[in-house]
Amino acid sequence: MKLQKQKPRQTLNPAFRRQRPGRTEINLFKANLLMLLDKIDETESEEHVKNQVRDFLRDTYYKDTNEVNTKGRQDLAIYTGKTNESKVGVIIETKRPKNSVEWFKGENPNCKAFQELVLYYLRERENLKNVDIKYLVATNIYEWYIIEASYFENLFFKDKDFLKEFVEFDKKQKVTTNTDLFYNSIAKPFIDSIDKTIPCAYFNIKDFDKALRNNDKKEDANLIALLKILSPSHLLKLEFADDSNSLKESFYKELLHLIGLEERKEGGKYIIDRKKKGQRQAGSLIENAINMLETEDPLHKIVDLSVYGTDREERIYNIALELCITWINRILFLKLLEGQLQNYHQKAPEYLFLNSEMILNYDELHKLFHQVLAKTADERKKISSTLYEKYKRVPYLNSSLFDISKLEDVTIKINQLDNDYKLDLISNTVLKEIKKKNQGLPALDYLFRFLNAFDFSSEGGEEIQEDENRTLINASVLGKVFEKINGYKEGSIYTPGFITMYMCNKAIRAAVVQKFKDEHNWKIEHFTDLRNYLKDRRTTKEILADNALINSIRLCDPAVGSGHFLVSSLNEIIAIKSELGLFADKRGDRLSDYQIVIAQDELIVTDRSGNDFKYEIK
């Protein structure tokens, strides 16, 4: 049996790897790890080492959530709950740094430290029926070996003969109850007989000494994977923060306030409606729109007014709401665009365009929608050279989202809103410093300041979030916001990412298998069968034909809202092509330098070294 050592980042969940730790989190990790290293006395006992490791793990990650302590003869265990009454989730074996006799020898794990892990695992698994063990860890403080429990399950627990030997030993049915018998006469020869290589995360803290002791914040990026691999999100496989499908309540509620809406429960479901009388403000988007509709009185231009209600007040409200949803959808989409432009251009500030310095009023916002984003560069020049120069870094978007809608065409457009209204800040606003001054803000300025208080600039990456007050808002979060607001009449149901991911995986892979089965009359039933059939197809002609066959699949989403299901479908198709060795350019040249997987409903693209693909414009 051999170990295949992998760097910490290679073993992390790809979606978790892209989560950005905050500066406070990385500083705590550095301080505690340095404290651990500086306390090391290589002449001390293993008991001393065990206590140091326990203190480091507890104080860095598990202090208020999980018990970290001994368990019987086990050196250490991370429990799944706050007390030792809960089950063991991680088994840890510690050794003195100078105890080389009982320690790993390179790729060979067959040493006492590993044999002890096997014994402790079997006692948990067989005697206590514990199925919650996630990882087994061996450390001498400097070196750390982290092995997924599934390998112990398959290699040791599921081997009936070996398990029988363990049970007889544990029930004192052998010649001696001394554990050396198990280590030397049962475990050691069995491990030697295993002709397999299993992966394990491996690191030596000495390799990170420079980054730990360096005050240069840029060096701290080298510690991110190390921070994460010992965290409960990895070792206990817990859900990690900022799940792409979780709604950021503070963002959502303040956005509704800016529009002039509120969410309330009626008849067992949550609906979105106009704020109650006495709470309405003329500066909110919907009240501003209602006032203009009352003034302009364009209802006679609408062919079928009945779709908007039965009386004038209801119709004006519903028309205003539909207009506001259109405008907010455009603005939120533009925040994502602005964030991506920032990513592509190394955070260059000149690519920020959605702010009060660039857009002073609703007239300018109207120009951005319809004279910039809806027009090519040449068309912009014809409209105005000043406009072209001002927005030269904003790309043309070939999207109907920035065409004047049918409703706008017969009622009002955003440039008709009153620019003079102010809007009071919501009580729990993200703009806390402005709230302290008890100031209202011009409505459009409030909207831009509010949006800029959140981070739209990245979907995550291996970097540290220096401004921890700026919550990440990504496309998936906005998808949920879109669908909740767009579904205001009947309440809304947003399909979470884990469901769309599962649906797409099952449905599209089955469809792909059926396509190839019908086309070639192959005897295949499962995706793995198809992968085996395609592994020898290497010619350009074959790759192009196989891609065309997959591309011929048609998907229908009758209830399309934010497009979440369709994006998940596209991600699945790209991942399928990568797994089948068919990911290629339009000429049929295989793009084999990249690995593509789906994690947490996100498409993760990495190069051969495991580094995240990053699109940059040079």
Side-chain angles (χ1 to χ4, degrees):
M1 178 180 172
K2 290 184 178 180
L3 293 178
Q4 180 187 11
K5 293 181 181 178
Q6 296 179 333
K7 293 180 179 179
R9 68 178 309 282
Q10 292 176 282
T11 63
L12 294 171
N13 175 304
F16 181 47
R17 195 173 67 224
R18 290 159 65 96
Q19 291 279 304
R20 293 185 297 170
R23 170 54 60 187
T24 303
E25 190 179 2
I26 202 78
N27 285 347
L28 175 66
F29 172 73
K30 284 181 68 176
N32 286 347
L33 187 53
L34 279 171
M35 190 183 303
L36 171 66
L37 293 176
D38 291 341
K39 282 182 178 179
I40 292 176
D41 183 346
E42 297 189 0
T43 64
E44 283 285 357
S45 66
E46 287 183 8
E47 186 72 18
H48 187 78
V49 171
K50 176 176 67 178
N51 292 336
Q52 290 177 330
V53 171
R54 178 202 62 201
D55 292 349
F56 163 69
L57 292 173
R58 181 195 62 207
D59 295 343
T60 308
Y61 302 102
Y62 302 96
K63 194 169 189 176
D64 299 317
T65 56
N66 301 86
E67 175 77 356
V68 181
N69 217 320
T70 57
K71 171 68 183 291
R73 302 287 297 182
Q74 295 175 32
D75 283 350
L76 280 178
I78 300 175
Y79 291 79
T80 57
K82 292 184 178 182
T83 71
N84 58 7
E85 296 298 317
S86 52
K87 291 184 178 180
V88 168
V90 182
I91 298 171
I92 303 174
E93 175 63 24
T94 61
K95 295 293 180 189
R96 290 186 302 114
K98 286 198 171 184
N99 187 354
S100 58
V101 174
E102 298 179 350
W103 195 241
F104 296 75
K105 306 294 188 296
E107 296 179 346
N108 181 8
N110 204 354
C111 61
K112 187 175 181 182
F114 187 80
Q115 293 154 10
E116 286 174 307
L117 288 177
V118 173
L119 178 61
Y120 302 148
Y121 179 79
L122 292 177
R123 282 176 172 167
E124 283 287 331
R125 185 69 180 85
E126 172 65 15
N127 299 349
L128 301 177
K129 310 303 179 189
N130 184 359
V131 294
D132 291 327
I133 304 168
K134 306 299 191 302
Y135 283 96
L136 295 100
V137 179
T139 179
N140 63 4
I141 291 189
Y142 295 124
E143 291 184 286
W144 294 69
Y145 290 82
I146 302 174
I147 305 170
E148 197 160 4
S150 59
Y151 294 106
F152 280 68
E153 180 80 1
N154 293 324
L155 293 174
F156 304 111
F157 180 73
K158 288 187 176 179
D159 189 289
K160 293 181 180 178
D161 293 335
F162 181 71
L163 184 62
K164 181 174 178 290
E165 290 286 305
F166 159 74
V167 170
E168 289 176 356
F169 164 76
D170 205 51
K171 289 184 176 180
K172 303 179 181 180
Q173 295 173 355
K174 296 292 186 183
V175 68
T176 177
T177 58
N178 192 306
T179 51
D180 285 342
L181 174 72
F182 177 80
Y183 301 143
N184 298 321
S185 301
I186 300 175
K188 189 175 187 300
F190 181 75
I191 294 168
D192 278 337
S193 72
I194 298 173
D195 187 22
K196 287 186 179 180
T197 299
I198 64 171
C200 78
Y202 169 82
F203 59 90
N204 189 326
I205 293 174
K206 291 180 181 179
D207 296 336
F208 298 88
D209 193 71
K210 180 184 176 184
L212 282 169
R213 300 183 189 280
N214 197 319
N215 291 324
D216 184 356
K217 289 185 176 181
K218 292 181 180 178
E219 287 279 346
D220 291 345
N222 297 319
L223 300 172
I224 293 175
L226 198 62
L227 162 74
K228 290 179 178 179
I229 201 165
L230 297 173
S231 71
S233 295
H234 180 72
L235 288 184
L236 293 174
K237 297 188 178 182
L238 301 182
E239 290 185 7
F240 41 88
D242 290 333
D243 175 8
S244 64
N245 301 299
S246 62
L247 181 65
K248 305 298 182 291
E249 287 295 332
S250 59
F251 175 84
Y252 174 58
K253 288 180 179 178
E254 191 156 7
L255 182 64
L256 289 182
H257 170 72
L258 281 152
I259 300 172
L261 304 172
E262 63 183 3
E263 185 179 69
R264 56 178 177 262
K265 196 171 184 179
E266 285 187 8
K269 63 183 178 183
Y270 287 95
I271 64 165
I272 295 169
D273 203 356
R274 187 180 184 183
K275 286 196 173 187
K276 295 176 181 178
K277 289 181 180 180
Q279 297 177 350
R280 298 170 187 171
Q281 296 185 59
S284 68
L285 203 59
I286 197 163
E287 298 303 328
N288 202 337
I290 287 172
N291 288 337
M292 289 311 303
L293 286 167
E294 293 277 11
T295 302
E296 297 291 327
D297 195 20
L299 271 62
H300 63 279
K301 299 178 185 177
I302 298 173
V303 176
D304 185 5
L305 272 173
S306 63
V307 300
Y308 293 103
T310 57
D311 58 51
R312 177 181 171 81
E313 183 179 357
E314 184 183 4
R315 288 168 179 171
I316 286 179
Y317 167 70
N318 284 324
I319 290 168
L321 182 55
E322 187 172 322
L323 290 168
C324 289
I325 289 171
T326 298
W327 298 332
I328 285 294
N329 283 352
R330 288 172 181 163
I331 292 168
L332 293 180
F333 179 85
L334 290 179
K335 282 305 296 183
L336 287 178
L337 171 66
E338 184 185 64
Q340 289 306 311
L341 289 174
Q342 280 265 285
N343 279 348
Y344 300 158
H345 295 90
Q346 292 77 53
K347 311 293 184 185
E350 55 267 29
Y351 287 90
L352 297 171
F353 63 90
L354 210 60
N355 52 64
S356 297
E357 288 72 34
M358 288 284 282
I359 303 169
L360 298 173
N361 49 46
Y362 290 116
D363 296 308
E364 190 68 21
L365 189 57
H366 179 270
K367 290 178 184 177
L368 178 65
F369 286 167
H370 306 302
Q371 296 181 8
V372 177
L373 293 151
K375 302 294 182 183
T376 64
D378 290 339
E379 289 171 328
R380 293 178 195 176
K381 284 181 182 178
K382 291 178 182 178
I383 296 170
S384 165
S385 59
T386 303
L387 192 75
Y388 168 78
E389 186 62 28
K390 182 175 182 177
Y391 295 108
K392 63 185 177 182
R393 295 181 179 86
V394 179
Y396 160 63
L397 296 179
N398 184 17
S399 170
S400 60
L401 181 62
F402 297 100
D403 293 339
I404 293 174
S405 72
K406 290 181 180 179
L407 187 61
E408 285 176 303
D409 193 39
V410 296
T411 56
I412 61 171
K413 303 173 184 65
I414 200 165
N415 61 329
Q416 292 174 258
L417 298 184
D418 195 319
N419 292 296
D420 294 333
Y421 289 126
K422 283 192 172 185
L423 184 62
D424 292 338
L425 277 63
I426 195 171
S427 59
N428 57 343
T429 179
V430 69
L431 305 175
K432 300 189 187 314
E433 292 303 314
I434 297 175
K435 182 66 177 178
K436 285 178 184 177
K437 299 174 185 176
N438 200 27
Q439 286 180 253
L441 289 171
L444 193 58
D445 184 38
Y446 181 5
L447 176 60
F448 289 148
R449 286 173 183 262
F450 161 72
L451 293 175
N452 288 333
F454 294 87
D455 183 4
F456 294 81
S457 67
S458 173
E459 291 193 348
E462 293 182 70
E463 56 191 40
I464 297 165
Q465 185 175 352
E466 298 293 347
D467 184 357
E468 296 178 67
N469 294 320
R470 297 186 75 217
T471 303
L472 179 67
I473 302 290
N474 62 20
S476 296
V477 172
L478 285 187
K480 188 163 187 177
V481 171
F482 286 150
E483 290 198 7
K484 282 181 77 70
I485 294 177
N486 289 336
Y488 65 94
K489 287 183 179 178
E490 300 298 331
S492 61
I493 298 174
Y494 179 78
T495 308
F498 73 90
I499 294 179
T500 60
M501 190 170 64
Y502 177 83
M503 290 168 61
C504 292
N505 179 280
K506 295 299 180 183
I508 297 175
R509 286 177 184 244
V512 168
V513 170
Q514 192 63 46
K515 277 282 184 182
F516 279 91
K517 187 176 181 179
D518 294 343
E519 180 73 14
H520 301 290
N521 199 27
W522 288 345
K523 294 180 179 179
I524 55 176
E525 297 297 333
H526 304 289
F527 190 78
T528 51
D529 301 331
L530 177 59
R531 194 161 49 207
N532 291 331
Y533 265 80
L534 292 177
K535 65 183 179 182
D536 296 324
R537 292 168 72 81
R538 292 291 180 265
T539 68
T540 299
K541 183 178 179 180
E542 287 173 330
I543 290 171
L544 286 171
D546 292 340
N547 268 282
L549 194 59
I550 294 175
N551 292 345
S552 70
I553 292 173
R554 296 291 177 263
L555 297 109
C556 178
D557 180 11
V560 63
S562 65
H564 182 196
F565 175 74
L566 295 175
V567 171
S568 294
S569 299
L570 178 60
N571 288 346
E572 183 63 34
I573 289 170
I574 293 171
I576 284 171
K577 288 186 175 184
S578 177
E579 286 184 49
L580 296 177
L582 301 176
F583 193 62
D585 61 22
K586 62 182 179 181
R587 297 187 303 272
D589 294 331
R590 184 180 282 106
L591 302 174
S592 57
D593 288 338
Y594 299 98
Q595 180 186 18
I596 302 172
V597 298
I598 295 173
Q600 299 290 108
D601 199 33
E602 284 189 50
L603 197 69
I604 311 292
V605 183
T606 54
D607 61 22
R608 285 184 174 179
S609 302
N611 299 313
D612 287 337
F613 171 79
K614 191 172 183 179
Y615 181 74
E616 294 180 355
I617 297 175
K618 297 181 179 179

